[in-house]
PDB file of all heavy atoms in Angstrom:
ATOM      1  N   TYR A1081      17.506 -80.218  23.286  1.00  0.00           N
ATOM      2  CA  TYR A1081      17.663 -81.659  22.879  1.00  0.00           C
ATOM      3  C   TYR A1081      16.629 -82.509  23.460  1.00  0.00           C
ATOM      4  O   TYR A1081      16.155 -82.254  24.569  1.00  0.00           O
ATOM      5  CB  TYR A1081      19.042 -82.162  23.250  1.00  0.00           C
ATOM      6  CG  TYR A1081      20.203 -81.444  22.449  1.00  0.00           C
ATOM      7  CD1 TYR A1081      20.705 -80.315  22.977  1.00  0.00           C
ATOM      8  CD2 TYR A1081      20.524 -81.938  21.235  1.00  0.00           C
ATOM      9  CE1 TYR A1081      21.768 -79.726  22.242  1.00  0.00           C
ATOM     10  CE2 TYR A1081      21.569 -81.336  20.477  1.00  0.00           C
ATOM     11  CZ  TYR A1081      22.143 -80.137  21.041  1.00  0.00           C
ATOM     12  OH  TYR A1081      23.183 -79.493  20.367  1.00  0.00           O
ATOM     13  N   ARG A1097      15.801 -94.079  21.638  1.00  0.00           N
ATOM     14  CA  ARG A1097      16.847 -93.740  22.579  1.00  0.00           C
ATOM     15  C   ARG A1097      18.050 -92.927  21.983  1.00  0.00           C
ATOM     16  O   ARG A1097      19.046 -92.660  22.635  1.00  0.00           O
ATOM     17  CB  ARG A1097      17.491 -95.050  23.219  1.00  0.00           C
ATOM     18  CG  ARG A1097      16.453 -95.806  24.075  1.00  0.00           C
ATOM     19  CD  ARG A1097      16.962 -97.083  24.585  1.00  0.00           C
ATOM     20  NE  ARG A1097      17.397 -98.064  23.578  1.00  0.00           N
ATOM     21  CZ  ARG A1097      16.550 -98.820  22.975  1.00  0.00           C
ATOM     22  NH1 ARG A1097      15.305 -98.794  23.186  1.00  0.00           N
ATOM     23  NH2 ARG A1097      16.993 -99.680  22.053  1.00  0.00           N
ATOM     24  N   GLU A1101      18.405 -82.909  18.026  1.00  0.00           N
ATOM     25  CA  GLU A1101      18.346 -81.534  18.263  1.00  0.00           C
ATOM     26  C   GLU A1101      16.948 -81.005  17.767  1.00  0.00           C
ATOM     27  O   GLU A1101      16.406 -81.328  16.827  1.00  0.00           O
ATOM     28  CB  GLU A1101      19.420 -80.808  17.447  1.00  0.00           C
ATOM     29  CG  GLU A1101      19.554 -79.384  17.671  1.00  0.00           C
ATOM     30  CD  GLU A1101      20.622 -78.757  16.931  1.00  0.00           C
ATOM     31  OE1 GLU A1101      21.455 -79.447  16.308  1.00  0.00           O
ATOM     32  OE2 GLU A1101      20.727 -77.507  16.932  1.00  0.00           O
ATOM     33  N   ILE A1103      14.701 -77.783  16.558  1.00  0.00           N
ATOM     34  CA  ILE A1103      14.710 -76.486  15.912  1.00  0.00           C
ATOM     35  C   ILE A1103      13.592 -75.730  16.454  1.00  0.00           C
ATOM     36  O   ILE A1103      12.470 -76.232  16.346  1.00  0.00           O
ATOM     37  CB  ILE A1103      14.642 -76.676  14.440  1.00  0.00           C
ATOM     38  CG1 ILE A1103      15.749 -77.582  13.851  1.00  0.00           C
ATOM     39  CG2 ILE A1103      14.662 -75.190  13.757  1.00  0.00           C
ATOM     40  CD1 ILE A1103      17.117 -77.093  14.137  1.00  0.00           C
ATOM     41  N   ALA A1108       4.793 -75.040  15.463  1.00  0.00           N
ATOM     42  CA  ALA A1108       4.750 -76.346  15.722  1.00  0.00           C
ATOM     43  C   ALA A1108       4.465 -76.690  17.159  1.00  0.00           C
ATOM     44  O   ALA A1108       3.595 -77.541  17.466  1.00  0.00           O
ATOM     45  CB  ALA A1108       6.091 -77.037  15.385  1.00  0.00           C
ATOM     46  N   GLU A1122      17.637 -83.754   7.689  1.00  0.00           N
ATOM     47  CA  GLU A1122      16.726 -82.611   7.481  1.00  0.00           C
ATOM     48  C   GLU A1122      15.817 -82.387   8.633  1.00  0.00           C
ATOM     49  O   GLU A1122      15.728 -83.328   9.550  1.00  0.00           O
ATOM     50  CB  GLU A1122      15.876 -82.767   6.274  1.00  0.00           C
ATOM     51  CG  GLU A1122      16.739 -82.906   4.969  1.00  0.00           C
ATOM     52  CD  GLU A1122      17.444 -81.719   4.600  1.00  0.00           C
ATOM     53  OE1 GLU A1122      16.922 -80.563   4.740  1.00  0.00           O
ATOM     54  OE2 GLU A1122      18.448 -81.782   3.942  1.00  0.00           O
ATOM     55  N   ILE A1134      15.632 -83.273  27.320  1.00  0.00           N
ATOM     56  CA  ILE A1134      16.681 -83.651  28.266  1.00  0.00           C
ATOM     57  C   ILE A1134      17.559 -82.375  28.464  1.00  0.00           C
ATOM     58  O   ILE A1134      17.683 -81.528  27.537  1.00  0.00           O
ATOM     59  CB  ILE A1134      17.553 -84.818  27.859  1.00  0.00           C
ATOM     60  CG1 ILE A1134      18.104 -84.522  26.406  1.00  0.00           C
ATOM     61  CG2 ILE A1134      16.757 -86.117  27.856  1.00  0.00           C
ATOM     62  CD1 ILE A1134      19.126 -85.575  25.921  1.00  0.00           C
TER      63      ILE A1134
END
Side-chain angles (χ1 to χ4, degrees):
Y1081 293 92
R1097 297 177 296 280
E1101 182 177 357
I1103 306 300
E1122 300 292 327
I1134 58 172

